[in-house]
Amino acid sequence: MDLTQLEVFRAVAEEGSVTAAAERLHRVPSNISTRLRQLEEDLGTPLFSREKLRLHITDAGRTLLDYAIRILALTEEARQRVTHQQPAGIFTLGAIESTAAVRLPQLIARYHQQWPDVELDLSTGPSGDMTDGLFSGRFSAVFIDGPPKHPQLDGVAAFAEEMVLISSLNHPPVPNAASVSGSTIYAFRANCSYRRRFENWFAAEHAAPGKIFEMESYHGILACVSAGAGLAMVPRSMLESMPGRESVAAWPLAEHAGLLDIWLVWRKGYASGNLRAMVAMLEDASQ
């Protein structure tokens, strides 16, 4: 088992096919197939089940993928530290939507000015998708609400955030969750950490929301709430950046329950030059 075989295996696992992996690695498909077969023979176990033109990763393959990601990341880290390589190349970054919209534009602009050879590839989505992308190798690092709870993740606090409850302007004051138990709420999908915080806020007071409508954007949430159709919990920084923010009332959560930190999170053992440069920039900004 060598590094080339691991690179080929990881590409096939992430792309889902030999052809796509070949395009990604700039190799011919026959070479990819040969390397993959040699690796399976070396390990004595199939890493993929084959169904016509489709590949499905096996349990053994999933186990190896976890190690392959860490081994290749450590190899790259060692190469960069030995050669003192400056930040350069593609830096794949993920972020929850509110952080990407409000917090990252200035950070990314400063990063690009300092490290113009880095090509930042930014994607947004719910926190659950961001974490999954981190473990699959899709992202080098992600901005999510933290701190990270998984033992294989590491990170640094990046931005202070406050969640607030929003309602229509004519809604009565909201002193606590019990006062709005049974209310219709608007939120993102179930794998959104902000939605979990909203539901936990109710549960902490033995209350519960009524019907939950899943939305795809903060603008859609704001429109529904301003029309008096229900309530939502959103980051204050996101609300203050949106047109139409005057059409809703914002209620802080009692006892600082809405305060949290957004963290930059990555897999332990992976610390590329690109990532270290961004961590240093965040640490400088906090001083």
Side-chain angles (χ1 to χ4, degrees):
M1 182 168 57
D2 58 36
L3 292 178
T4 300
Q5 289 175 330
L6 290 179
E7 288 176 342
V8 166
F9 164 70
R10 175 180 172 177
V12 173
E14 292 177 355
E15 298 295 338
S17 75
V18 168
T19 301
E23 293 178 357
R24 169 173 160 178
L25 298 176
H26 305 292
R27 296 170 178 263
V28 296
S30 60
N31 178 268
I32 298 296
S33 296
T34 298
R35 290 283 189 174
L36 188 59
R37 184 176 64 254
Q38 290 173 343
L39 179 59
E40 290 181 318
E41 291 175 352
D42 183 25
L43 295 173
T45 186
L47 302 174
F48 298 92
S49 60
R50 292 153 173 85
E51 179 184 347
K52 296 183 180 180
L53 299 179
R54 300 185 63 184
L55 294 178
H56 303 281
I57 194 166
T58 63
D59 288 342
R62 290 189 183 91
T63 300
L64 179 62
L65 180 59
D66 179 73
Y67 284 100
I69 290 172
R70 283 185 280 169
I71 290 170
L72 294 172
L74 284 171
T75 301
E76 179 61 22
E77 179 183 351
R79 180 182 293 112
Q80 291 185 6
R81 289 195 175 185
V82 169
T83 61
H84 303 287
Q85 180 178 336
Q86 294 293 315
I90 297 176
F91 183 23
T92 52
L93 198 60
I96 53 178
E97 182 181 347
S98 58
T99 298
V102 179
R103 306 291 190 177
L104 294 192
Q106 291 185 350
L107 175 67
I108 289 176
R110 286 190 287 112
Y111 188 93
H112 180 68
Q113 289 172 358
Q114 187 168 349
W115 307 109
D117 292 333
V118 177
E119 181 183 344
L120 271 170
D121 183 359
L122 177 65
S123 299
T124 63
S127 53
D129 290 353
M130 296 297 96
T131 303
D132 290 345
L134 199 59
F135 281 115
S136 71
R138 180 184 174 196
F139 301 124
S140 297
V142 296
F143 285 95
I144 56 176
D145 63 316
K149 299 178 177 62
H150 196 285
Q152 292 184 9
L153 297 181
D154 202 354
V156 294
F159 311 107
E161 189 57 87
E162 180 189 7
M163 303 299 293
V164 295
L165 190 78
I166 60 173
S167 69
S168 61
L169 291 175
N170 60 0
H171 194 281
V174 184
N176 50 48
S179 67
V180 290
S181 185
S183 297
T184 296
I185 68 171
Y186 293 87
F188 290 107
R189 299 193 299 273
N191 62 347
C192 172
S193 60
Y194 286 170
R195 172 170 169 173
R196 291 195 296 271
R197 285 181 179 272
F198 200 3
E199 294 173 334
N200 290 341
W201 178 69
F202 277 102
E205 297 187 24
H206 306 289
K211 187 171 181 59
I212 302 176
F213 286 96
E214 294 187 353
M215 306 293 288
E216 295 296 325
S217 72
Y218 282 106
H219 294 283
I221 288 174
L222 187 66
C224 292
V225 171
S226 64
L231 307 172
M233 186 179 288
V234 301
R236 184 183 290 277
S237 63
M238 185 69 188
L239 176 64
E240 292 177 347
S241 73
M242 296 175 64
R245 58 187 177 275
E246 301 88 356
S247 65
V248 299
W251 309 97
L253 306 187
E255 299 180 358
H256 307 294
L259 301 182
L260 58 92
D261 287 320
I262 301 299
W263 282 57
L264 176 63
V265 177
W266 61 89
R267 287 181 64 113
K268 286 184 177 178
Y270 177 84
S272 69
N274 295 340
L275 175 57
R276 291 197 301 272
M278 178 158 284
V279 169
M281 188 168 288
L282 289 170
E283 291 176 342
D284 289 342
S286 66
Q287 295 177 356

